Amino acid sequence: MGKGGMSLEGHGEEENMAAWLVGINTLKIQPFKLPALEPHDVRVRMKAVGICGSDVHYLKTLRCADFIVKEPMVIGHECAGIIEEIGSEVKHLVPGDRVAIEPGISCWRCDLCKDGRYNLCPDMKFFATPPVHGSLANQIVHPADLCFKLPDNVSLEEGAMCEPLSVGVHACRRASVGPETNVMIMGAGPIGLVTMLSARAFGAPRIVIVDVDDHRLSVAKDLGADETVKVSTKIEDVSEEVVQIHKAMGGRVDITFDCAGFNKTMTTALSATRAGGKVCLVGMGHGVMTVPLTPAAAREVDVIGIFRYKNTWPLCLEFLRSGKIDVKPLITHRFGFSQKEVEEAFETSARGGNAIKVMFNL
């Protein structure tokens, strides 16, 4: 494939297969022709691919926010694998290396990219964000500089978990979490949990996590939350619940991460966070919200947003290598790569229940 590169032998005979989203609630394993290997590319055999909430959203509705699936698309973007072939200019990787893969390719030419904020690049080509194909496939081709070698004590599954973990790490950087910041997290789903793990690794001394679901809260407690608070879905309960949150924190709430993104969660976040504190909106449940912004502004509560992540993979891998973060308990279900198992895996993830992260082992 590549000119002057290196490859592992024996790849020529097998047809590359991928999980294609072909319609609402319809995934089919079909052939996926790979592009030619450019000098700075690598060909990677996928070994671990996780299911994200956005993948499920695309399956159910063929859209996520403003991104609409208009033609068949390969799904998946949380991934790790083994290098099979390297392009002629790739120097830092060799065939056989195990790598975690950052799924977004930015242009590196626009002002945002030049400023280092490449996650905001308007020309970003991101796995399984239409019309770009994803990574739930036997093999993919990807730029080598977005493939990060795994430490020896970090598994391929953990490598795939770097993608959701990156959201938590980026959020903690944006909000400046540290040893002097008490943290509250709204939502104990997968992103709430990785944000909690990240906040702890960044040094947050006390973390309270809030959710409507008892099971999710018990998982959060097992993973290291100091306290949990169960809340309702009713907006009129906010005042009373803020009192409960303050009691659980046993002090001020310096930073709140809203990992759900609903009217009620954001209202709670703005109300519970101390004067001069920060609220970071991570989840995107509601596209338009009505929230008490004026009282929060009068208390100089800063509201910040995040979109995906930037330059997070090296830190994620160091957190995993050192044991500062353990993502293994988040992986609750595993499936192989057959038509039946792909369908079952997505049904399991969509159902929720006790599923946190559903992982494919290819």
Side-chain angles (χ1 to χ4, degrees):
M1 255 173 131
K3 294 174 184 172
M6 297 163 56
S7 71
L8 293 177
E9 296 305 313
H11 67 270
E13 301 144 23
E14 108 183 68
E15 187 168 29
N16 189 46
M17 305 299 281
W20 290 78
L21 175 59
V22 296
I24 286 179
N25 290 325
T26 311
L27 289 163
K28 292 216 181 316
I29 294 184
Q30 295 176 338
F32 176 35
K33 188 167 169 36
L34 292 176
L37 198 73
E38 298 293 334
H40 293 279
D41 290 344
V42 290
R43 182 165 52 83
V44 188
R45 178 170 294 279
M46 291 289 92
K47 300 303 286 183
V49 181
I51 297 178
C52 171
S54 66
D55 295 322
V56 173
H57 219 71
Y58 282 123
L59 177 63
K60 298 285 179 198
T61 65
L62 294 184
R63 69 178 299 154
C64 192
D66 294 332
F67 299 105
I68 300 165
V69 180
K70 294 175 180 171
E71 55 191 31
M73 176 185 82
V74 176
I75 202 88
H77 63 269
E78 304 177 358
C79 55
I82 298 172
I83 301 289
E84 291 260 320
E85 184 178 7
I86 62 172
S88 58
E89 297 299 317
V90 176
K91 307 288 189 250
H92 69 292
L93 296 169
V94 295
D97 281 346
R98 301 175 317 127
V99 292
I101 296 168
E102 182 171 351
I105 306 170
S106 54
C107 76
W108 292 117
R109 288 184 296 276
C110 69
D111 289 343
L112 286 161
C113 282
K114 287 177 180 177
D115 198 33
R117 303 187 74 174
Y118 67 85
N119 56 311
L120 305 176
C121 174
D123 293 322
M124 175 71 80
K125 293 177 175 59
F126 194 93
F127 281 164
T129 298
V132 182
H133 291 305
S135 59
L136 184 48
N138 298 131
Q139 300 184 43
I140 61 159
V141 167
H142 204 55
D145 66 307
L146 296 172
C147 298
F148 298 85
K149 194 171 174 181
L150 297 179
D152 290 342
N153 67 337
V154 174
S155 70
L156 285 153
E157 285 191 340
E158 291 172 276
M161 288 296 292
C162 283
E163 199 280 340
L165 182 58
S166 284
V167 175
V169 166
H170 182 55
C172 286
R173 279 178 173 167
R174 285 272 291 151
S176 303
V177 172
E180 296 181 310
T181 52
N182 290 332
V183 168
M184 176 171 78
I185 294 169
M186 306 293 303
I191 293 299
L193 294 174
V194 293
T195 303
M196 181 188 78
L197 294 173
S198 300
R200 187 67 86 204
F202 272 76
R206 192 157 177 81
I207 302 172
V208 171
I209 194 156
V210 178
D211 202 284
V212 297
D213 185 86
D214 282 319
H215 175 72
R216 285 184 165 191
L217 289 173
S218 71
V219 170
K221 197 84 168 78
D222 291 344
L223 286 170
D226 293 295
E227 291 290 345
T228 62
V229 177
K230 188 181 182 186
V231 294
S232 75
T233 55
K234 298 175 189 166
I235 197 85
E236 55 268 26
D237 293 340
V238 167
S239 297
E240 190 182 316
E241 288 166 358
V242 166
V243 173
Q244 288 178 260
I245 288 163
H246 287 159
K247 189 177 173 188
M249 185 63 81
R252 64 190 195 179
V253 177
D254 299 301
I255 298 167
T256 299
F257 294 99
D258 182 355
C259 297
F262 295 110
N263 278 329
K264 183 174 179 209
T265 54
M266 200 60 180
T267 297
T268 305
L270 291 167
S271 304
T273 304
R274 69 165 174 88
K278 289 178 188 165
V279 172
C280 180
L281 179 57
V282 181
M284 296 186 289
H286 283 153
V288 177
M289 291 192 213
T290 304
V291 295
L293 208 50
T294 309
R299 294 187 302 115
E300 295 194 358
V301 175
D302 293 345
V303 179
I304 52 178
I306 70 154
F307 185 64
R308 293 175 180 153
Y309 34 68
K310 63 185 178 74
N311 300 315
T312 48
W313 260 252
L315 182 55
C316 287
L317 289 172
E318 175 54 25
F319 280 153
L320 296 174
R321 184 203 66 77
S322 65
K324 269 196 161 185
I325 289 179
D326 182 8
V327 291
K328 294 189 290 294
L330 298 177
I331 305 167
T332 53
H333 295 73
R334 291 171 174 84
F335 291 87
F337 188 53
S338 66
Q339 180 66 41
K340 184 170 182 285
E341 286 180 287
V342 166
E343 289 171 0
E344 281 179 10
F346 272 87
E347 283 166 15
T348 302
S349 185
R351 258 198 317 272
N354 66 345
I356 302 172
K357 183 54 63 179
V358 178
M359 186 74 66
F360 291 103
N361 294 131
L362 285 81

